[in-house]
Amino acid sequence: MTSDHDTLWCRCAYLGRVLLPLLDQEPWRRDRRRERLRSWGIDVPVGERLMEVFTALAAHAVAVDTSLSAPEFETLPLGAVADAVTGKEDFELLAGLPDTFADDRDEVAVKVFRLFAYKGGGTSLQLLRLSTEVRHTLAVLAAREPVSSPTCADVFRQADAVDMPQ
């Protein structure tokens, strides 16, 4: 049986997974992002996966801080996730994670994030750059919504509209 906390992480991870494909509906955005990653010395697949997990970690941290259950997660404002991406310390994003992950890719990505966070030096700068990229991505997706304060549910509706797998 899956616990509410595990289900909450799965919803957060899904938010991270749909973020870039939704942004990439405008292909020029993907090209610019990949060009930036390369100019920063970040391998594109690694950088994009770290952006996904960064989003999931930030969403999870805010959901846990505000005591949201998995069913309530969709009410989480994108602005709160964006604020957490750049406003929380790396170790704050790693607090309260599930002990195990249903998806091995999530577990590996979280371990890579943890390694980058604790290694310091140039990797800290890379995480800072990735955080600003994630914040920008969230802002672009939020601006596409007709409502004044879009939530995670609005992003999920965008993903459903283009038939992204859950």
Side-chain angles (χ1 to χ4, degrees):
M1 184 170 198
T2 305
S3 74
D4 187 62
H5 192 232
D6 292 336
T7 304
L8 176 63
W9 170 258
C10 289
R11 298 305 288 158
C12 295
Y14 179 63
L15 178 67
R17 280 194 309 276
V18 301
L19 198 68
L20 295 179
L22 286 174
L23 184 74
D24 293 349
Q25 289 178 318
E26 299 170 294
W28 65 270
R29 291 189 184 277
R30 178 187 56 238
D31 296 339
R32 279 198 183 158
R33 178 183 64 251
R34 290 178 173 176
E35 182 180 309
R36 271 191 303 277
L37 290 173
R38 283 189 290 273
S39 74
W40 293 335
I42 300 173
D43 181 68
V44 171
V46 171
E48 289 180 343
R49 183 64 179 129
L50 282 171
M51 289 176 67
E52 290 176 14
V53 79
F54 218 131
T55 304
L57 289 168
H60 187 265
V62 174
V64 169
D65 287 351
T66 57
S67 301
L68 288 179
S69 66
E72 297 168 322
F73 176 73
E74 293 189 8
T75 65
L76 184 64
L78 285 183
V81 177
D83 290 345
V85 166
T86 55
K88 287 191 174 283
E89 297 291 331
D90 301 335
F91 65 87
E92 291 177 291
L93 296 176
L94 292 165
L97 290 175
D99 294 328
T100 59
F101 295 88
D103 185 340
D104 290 339
R105 284 180 17 107
D106 289 343
E107 185 171 4
V108 169
V110 167
K111 286 179 180 179
V112 170
F113 183 92
R114 185 175 282 127
L115 178 66
F116 272 48
Y118 293 127
K119 188 174 181 184
T123 57
S124 292
L125 177 60
Q126 288 181 337
L127 284 180
L128 176 64
R129 288 174 170 162
L130 290 171
S131 73
T132 59
E133 194 71 19
V134 170
R135 184 177 180 88
H136 172 74
T137 300
L138 288 165
V140 168
L141 292 181
R144 289 181 182 169
E145 288 299 317
V147 295
S148 61
S149 183
T151 64
C152 292
D154 295 312
V155 172
F156 294 156
R157 273 192 288 283
Q158 286 182 38
D160 287 346
V162 293
D163 293 324
M164 285 189 183
Q166 295 220 11

